Amino acid sequence: MSGPGIGAWIIRPQLEHFVSIPSDGADRDMFTQLRWVPYYTLTHFHQLPFWNPYKCGGMPMLGNPESGIVTPFLLLYLIFGLIPGMLLEIYLHVAIMFAGGYVLGRELGLVPLAALVLAAMFPSSSWLSLHVAVGHLNFLSIAYIPWILALLLASCRLRRWHLAMLGGLLCGLTLTEGNYGFVFAAMLVAIVAVWYAMIQLSVRPLLAASLIGIFAVAFSMPKLVPTAELLTIHPRDWGMSYLTWRGVLISLFSRDQDLDHPLVASFFFSEYAGYLSAPFILLALIGTIGDVRKSFPWVLGAIFFFMLYRGDTGPNAPTMWLRQLPLGGNIGLCGRWVIPLVFCISVLAALGTQSLCERPQQWGLRLAKLLFAVGIADAWLVCAPNYRYLLQPPRPSPPPSKAFRQYTPGFTVPLTSIAMAGLGSTDCGGVGYTVPKGSVLGYNEKGYRGEYYLLGAGSVTETLWTPNRMSYEVNASEPTSLVVNQSMYPGWHLTHGDGTVYAEKALIGVRVPSGRQEIELVFTPLHIVAACAIALFALATLIIVWWIEMRSRDDSTLHRL
């Protein structure tokens, strides 16, 4: 078996998809919209992408857990455009993941071949290709996890605190670029730090891990604050989620890892798959018993993440305990724990390669090379063809609108095509993180009164519309209310005019006095200035500590000379 669709993927590639916006009605459409809205808000309206009027009748853009705005990769979209930026984001994250795996392997004291196994095995598993295939770009931030762990170990080895702070910066990016990577990174850092503190009888690993955590929170504040607010107001509780033993065996070991594979649990196969090639499994088993001192934290991590991977199997399952934590109901589908599970097994496979390379007999090195070559070839043949699913032809879109209007489609998606037509979709239930649309009505629904209107006598004219800022000229003969056909959310406030912002049946309402005046409504996430100040302070602290430690090293070098 050469892998699903490998012939069509190589011989007859559909290159026309590279110029089509992925707005086909699947998850890739949802994540494309999460990229298009910031891109369009910045390039067309020249505003920071705080608010998304194109989804759910209006909802936070920066606070969406699945958005990727506070990241240097946003520059790729601004420079090259939407589709090239998206492809570059994917390719570069895979390269970062590969390089980080190699650096981590070397930091663990592995020979180059063993470090190469870690670098190649983790991103070659089907968890990555399947999530990218369905457009789950929020999982790309997992690329930083090997680097974070490498910086943790390097900070302890070199006794340099700025390395741990830099690890905190990368850990912060796992949150600002996505969501799950932050949790995975925090757990892996904790496991590794506790183990090294025990075997070295030192608190330095714990202090370095604490610095990573503190600076990760500080650097991620611009997204963490609005995200925590959104999840507090509109929690997303998936309910029960579990995977049977049969589902585990198919998800991890079946060579049929195609995106269209039949369901093995309550959701799509792509949520649970993490292909482990037989040669890599053999290397991981060798690594488990080859050096128990080195393999123990990764075996412990593999067991822990496997239990989470099984999901809600009983009242004392780890996932049930996690749900008791603040915002714990948002942990999502249990299958996503396969990602840190595959990572731990990848480290064990690298340790197994190290054990073979350390044997005095020549056959050990040759066997390690053979297992690596066969394992990586098998993983690529089985998993890589799934990438062809990313760029699909878009679904038909509604006709463009000259002015922004809310629109109720007959189907939940395509969100991107609706937004590009200058419309806001009111129906997005079940598509990523959402908010209730309340009383927001589409122009094609009964009872629609327009995108703005007065509840009482008078007239109102829109003088400016942008995602974050809207202006209206109001002429009221008596005190009344201006109503905007978008969802009310904390952060909407007046910057000009006399009135009070409030929720009018879940819509944005402004109580205005009688008379003629200009009303300007602006959305700014609460506490965003303080959040950005904390992130900038953390960056300044990192630079200062780096400068001090580098200068002290240079001074000590000159003193020895």
Side-chain angles (χ1 to χ4, degrees), residues 464-498:
L464 174 69
W465 186 94
T466 67
N468 298 338
R469 185 184 301 270
M470 297 174 289
S471 296
Y472 305 91
E473 184 176 306
V474 178
N475 186 10
S477 57
E478 59 185 24
T480 183
S481 291
L482 165 67
V483 178
V484 179
N485 189 36
Q486 290 193 48
S487 301
M488 179 58 187
Y489 191 85
W492 280 108
H493 60 281
L494 287 182
T495 58
H496 184 74
D498 186 12

Side-chain angles (χ1 to χ4, degrees), residues 76-163:
L76 297 178
Y77 291 84
L78 300 179
I79 296 172
F80 300 105
L82 186 66
I83 294 300
M86 183 182 298
L87 295 176
L88 286 170
E89 182 183 15
I90 294 170
Y91 292 145
L92 291 176
H93 274 90
V94 174
I96 289 170
M97 198 180 313
F98 181 91
Y102 186 84
V103 172
L104 174 60
R106 298 296 284 166
E107 196 60 46
L108 289 169
L110 304 181
V111 298
L113 179 61
L116 193 61
V117 169
L118 172 56
M121 178 182 171
F122 182 50
S124 298
S125 178
S126 59
W127 71 265
L128 178 60
S129 61
L130 284 170
H131 278 297
V132 171
V134 294
H136 291 169
L137 303 183
N138 57 323
F139 287 92
L140 292 177
S141 65
I142 291 168
Y144 302 117
I145 288 180
W147 284 101
I148 296 167
L149 295 173
L151 288 167
L152 168 67
L153 299 178
S155 176
C156 297
R157 178 176 59 86
L158 299 174
R159 308 179 73 84
R160 293 289 185 267
W161 296 119
H162 76 272
L163 295 174

Side-chain angles (χ1 to χ4, degrees), residues 21 27 32 39 95 126 130 204 243 346 353 361 417 454 474 521:
I21 302 296
D27 279 7
T32 301
Y39 165 76
S126 59
L130 284 170
R204 180 171 285 271
L243 189 61
S346 299
T353 306
Q361 299 88 351
S417 295
L454 295 179
V474 178
L521 273 166

Side-chain angles (χ1 to χ4, degrees), residues 82 145 171 310 358 391 401 415 470 487 500 524 528 541:
L82 186 66
I145 288 180
C171 193
R310 287 291 319 283
E358 289 177 344
L391 299 175
S401 176
L415 293 173
M470 297 174 289
S487 301
T500 304
T524 306
I528 191 64
T541 304

Side-chain angles (χ1 to χ4, degrees), residues 242-484:
Y242 64 92
L243 189 61
T244 64
W245 283 106
R246 178 180 177 274
V248 169
L249 294 176
I250 294 175
S251 300
L252 297 181
F253 306 117
S254 171
R255 298 190 76 251
D256 180 7
Q257 295 284 316
D258 190 71
L259 181 63
D260 292 330
H261 190 287
L263 273 64
V264 296
S266 59
F267 214 71
F268 298 122
F269 180 72
S270 58
E271 300 289 353
Y272 305 92
Y275 180 62
L276 299 173
S277 184
F280 288 146
I281 296 173
L282 178 57
L283 286 172
L285 292 174
I286 296 173
T288 300
I289 61 177
D291 190 334
V292 177
R293 183 184 176 94
K294 289 184 178 181
S295 67
F296 183 83
W298 308 106
V299 172
L300 178 64
I303 295 172
F304 175 64
F305 291 120
F306 181 79
M307 294 171 65
L308 291 170
Y309 179 48
R310 287 291 319 283
D312 304 322
T313 55
N316 292 316
T319 49
M320 299 297 288
W321 288 99
L322 285 180
R323 295 183 194 280
Q324 305 305 314
L325 298 175
L327 304 177
N330 298 279
I331 62 174
L333 297 168
C334 65
R336 293 170 178 180
W337 294 104
V338 73
I339 299 171
L341 169 62
V342 171
F343 179 79
C344 290
I345 295 175
S346 299
V347 178
L348 291 174
L351 293 174
T353 306
Q354 179 77 12
S355 296
L356 290 177
C357 292
E358 289 177 344
R359 298 189 66 85
Q361 299 88 351
Q362 190 66 23
W363 64 264
L365 176 60
R366 292 173 179 172
L367 179 59
K369 291 181 178 179
L370 177 63
L371 291 174
F372 169 65
V374 175
I376 197 64
D378 179 51
W380 284 347
L381 288 172
V382 170
C383 306
N386 282 306
Y387 287 111
R388 76 188 191 277
Y389 289 110
L390 172 61
L391 299 175
Q392 296 293 320
R395 293 173 60 92
S397 60
S401 176
K402 293 182 179 180
F404 175 82
R405 294 186 294 175
Q406 296 292 346
Y407 169 70
T408 300
F411 186 56
T412 303
V413 281
L415 293 173
T416 309
S417 295
I418 293 172
M420 294 180 69
L423 302 171
S425 175
T426 64
D427 183 9
C428 61
V431 183
Y433 285 85
T434 62
V435 300
K437 75 165 189 174
S439 302
V440 178
L441 295 177
Y443 74 88
N444 54 337
E445 284 188 280
K446 184 179 180 180
Y448 176 76
R449 298 183 59 181
E451 292 305 307
Y452 53 92
Y453 52 88
L454 295 179
L455 293 181
S459 62
V460 57
T461 303
E462 183 179 76
T463 57
L464 174 69
W465 186 94
T466 67
N468 298 338
R469 185 184 301 270
M470 297 174 289
S471 296
Y472 305 91
E473 184 176 306
V474 178
N475 186 10
S477 57
E478 59 185 24
T480 183
S481 291
L482 165 67
V483 178
V484 179

Side-chain angles (χ1 to χ4, degrees), residues 47-66:
Q47 293 180 347
L48 295 176
F50 289 152
W51 184 253
N52 184 358
Y54 304 97
K55 185 174 181 181
C56 303
M59 67 176 293
M61 181 72 250
L62 182 60
N64 191 315
E66 294 168 325

